[in-house]
Amino acid sequence: MSGRWRNPCVVAGLAVLVAGCRRGADTPPQPAPTTRIAPAAQPPKPGEVVTNSLGMKLAYVPPGEFVMGSGVDEPGRHDDEARHPVRITRGFHLGVTEVTQGQWKAVSGFNRSEVEGNDLPVSRISWQHAVTFCKQLSRREGRTYRLPTEAEWEYACRAGSTGPFAGTGGADEMAWHMNNSDDVPHPVATKRPNAWGFCDLHGNVAEWCADRYARDYPGAAADPNGPAEGKYRVVRGGSFGHFPRACRSAARASQNPAYQLQQVGLRVVMETPPTENGT
Amino acid sequence: MADNGTTKRLARRDVLKGAAAAATFTILSPSSVRGSAANSKIALGVIGCGGRGNWVTNLFAKHGGYQIAACGDYFPDRVKGFGEKHGVPAGQRYTGLKNHEKLLAGAKVDAVAIESPPYFHPMQAAAAVEAGKHVYCAKPIAVDVPGCLTIGEAGKKATAKKLVFLVDFQTRANAIYQEAVKRVHNGDIGRLVNGVAQYFCGLSFGTTLPGDAEGRLRKWQMDQVLSGDILVEQNIHALDVACWIVDADPVSAAGTGGRKLRKGDGVIYDHFNLVYVFPDETPISFTSRQCGKGPSDIGCFVHGSKGTIDTHYSADVKVLGDTPYAGGNTGGLFQSGCVENIATFHKSITGGVTHNPTVAQSVRSNLTCVLGRQAAYTGQKATWDEMMKSASKLGADLKGLKE
């Protein structure tokens, strides 16, 4: 573990993480209990959470396989969501929440979000801003941070689910979207987390991904990372300003990477170093 | 089906010249398969050997994955010319009013392309699906409510029988249109407020209709019943995009239309002016002109609380507002959309993709045109619910035509 990695912590169990993620107006925030762990040669356990120096929580997503895309009967789907199997061969840590304005300001020194608040997700950032933030965070923490690939994003969003939304209650349960948000972003982690503990992958702000966009999913069945060429970058998850159909697990969007949109922010991946057994 | 090619943007004469020049085609393998063997061609029967039938068959041949195996049309001269041009064996050419029945019974084909007058599409498509054939159908799919419902059922039956049924709208096949409309559906222009759709072009098809049955059939575009009138047969390009964007059935339509240059009972109108109301009290006004010398455009604008989608057939398509999409120019769409659909039809057959999404979309927009036509013909506000309940059928005068 690098000397810049200041506060490595792990959550005792996934259920605790899930409880800590859901804090609406009637549910006071419940900080997840954490325990300090020593570096180990073994891979983290699924759902284990580390907290970096910004207080940003990142949960471990183990390697695995899933079916990306939606079935032809899924309401609200578009034709760019063809179902296909995908293998994620390397585990990674993913932000439990979208990057907040407080975290963003601490690293980048500016905040152009239209509605301000330290617990609100940052927005009005270009794709290049998001990439630069990851590089700055990497230097600060001594670990590699980056944007998720589109496949990693959907793998984590689904958390084993196969329907339009990761929960059982549909869009309102999981997402701040156009019909319930009053057209403003909301503090992160105020909707139900998915089965792996991630909050706001559906809705609140949409999230830049690393990939370029193509209507047909190109690339390998294992760890796909998008086409080599293309003008637009992938944006996932929909937002407070989008209809529920745009917040589905399989819904794909793309934007000009130079645009700074009030509905688009980011969530980061922290790369998990390979262990002795290669996972 | 004849897209009239009257707009400058469509440049149809140039398209036809190019297509004819490229129409050399060699049959490489027999077509007894249903598109499952990788190196086999799909045996295609073309129903309707007029201008559109010939033009679209050039594109099927150019694709390389089809063998033009049979053809049918009422008129022997058209069938002969088509057969000779596309290398259809003499024994696989069918004529008369029931040419499609003869073709389906006698020809060894995997699929049919229906390019006949719209009045005949429902019966021909339903018979083709019944016979186990994949169907590629020109727009419009029908001229009345029962015809639209027949196509809807045929599409469902096709899916149940693992057959492909594709309706050839060029706009829906275009990636720029698809992306722009997807963004509206996602919410990029906010809640829909209102919109405008339009179809402007010069006079085509002429001004009068022959009195004899065969003359009317040969000039079917001029016949209100055989074509469905310009609102259904031509203007559907604009209204299909409007329905696609709004993604709902209209509640009602009101308006007018008539003939300024054309004359005679049963002759198509040359203009329509309508106001559709969609759910959430979203009005879309529609204007069409098929006469005069003004600018040509097949356009649709829909305004939302945060932006506007602005589309033009074979021209610019974009989204303006808080979350803009630069889109691009869809020039050449008249041909490129068709080429794309022919490729999709082939891929769907060979890949077994039979959920047939274009059918329900086409039923909706076709019924929307029928609703507007009813309002304009009667001068009364027409509602969707009443139209669907009454389900009026248009009857063509086919007396004197040979079976």
Side-chain angles (χ1 to χ4, degrees), chain B residues 65-114:
Chain B
Y66 298 93
Q67 174 203 354
I68 313 306
C71 62
D73 195 291
Y74 176 81
F75 296 104
D77 62 313
R78 286 187 173 171
V79 168
K80 183 170 184 288
F82 181 100
E84 287 173 356
K85 180 178 176 184
H86 298 289
V88 178
Q92 302 294 301
R93 304 172 189 175
Y94 302 91
T95 59
L97 261 186
K98 296 189 173 175
N99 67 84
H100 70 284
E101 290 182 10
K102 299 170 195 170
L103 185 151
L104 291 169
K108 287 184 178 173
V109 295
D110 305 311
V112 294
I114 296 176

Side-chain angles (χ1 to χ4, degrees), chain A residues 43-69:
Chain A
K45 291 177 182 166
E48 279 187 358
V49 169
V50 295
T51 304
N52 69 13
S53 70
L54 291 173
M56 181 186 289
K57 291 182 167 51
L58 303 112
Y60 181 67
V61 179
E65 295 181 12
F66 77 111
V67 177
M68 195 168 178

Side-chain angles (χ1 to χ4, degrees), chain A residues 72 77-80 178-179 183 213 215 231-232 241-243 245-246 252-255 259 261-263, chain B residues 175 178-179 181-188 190-192 247 306 322-327 347 355 357 361:
Chain A
V72 295
R77 86 185 290 271
H78 289 282
D79 286 343
D80 59 352
M178 191 191 290
N179 298 338
D183 213 20
Y213 174 80
R215 278 185 59 78
K231 180 177 175 184
Y232 294 93
H242 287 106
F243 292 117
R245 67 190 293 178
R252 308 177 69 214
S254 59
Q255 287 297 347
Y259 284 177
L261 302 166
Q262 62 168 327
Q263 299 97 340
Chain B
Q178 290 167 346
E179 179 63 26
V181 175
K182 186 177 87 168
R183 286 164 179 252
V184 173
H185 289 172
N186 284 347
D188 281 12
R191 297 185 190 284
L192 302 188
D247 197 20
K306 297 177 184 174
D322 288 352
T323 309
Y325 169 56
K347 262 194 299 191
H355 62 292
Q361 298 161 348

Side-chain angles (χ1 to χ4, degrees), chain B residues 71 78 89 199 287 289 374:
Chain B
C71 62
R78 286 187 173 171
Y199 191 115
T287 307
R289 163 183 62 74
Q374 181 183 324

Side-chain angles (χ1 to χ4, degrees), chain B residues 16-92:
Chain B
L16 284 172
K17 269 189 270 178
T24 53
F25 181 71
T26 307
I27 297 170
L28 297 175
S29 63
S31 63
S32 56
V33 296
R34 290 200 184 282
S36 55
N39 60 353
S40 295
K41 295 196 175 196
I42 292 166
L44 183 73
V46 179
I47 298 171
C49 300
R52 175 78 182 185
N54 264 288
W55 181 80
V56 83
T57 301
N58 287 333
L59 299 181
F60 272 106
K62 202 171 175 183
H63 176 275
Y66 298 93
Q67 174 203 354
I68 313 306
C71 62
D73 195 291
Y74 176 81
F75 296 104
D77 62 313
R78 286 187 173 171
V79 168
K80 183 170 184 288
F82 181 100
E84 287 173 356
K85 180 178 176 184
H86 298 289
V88 178
Q92 302 294 301

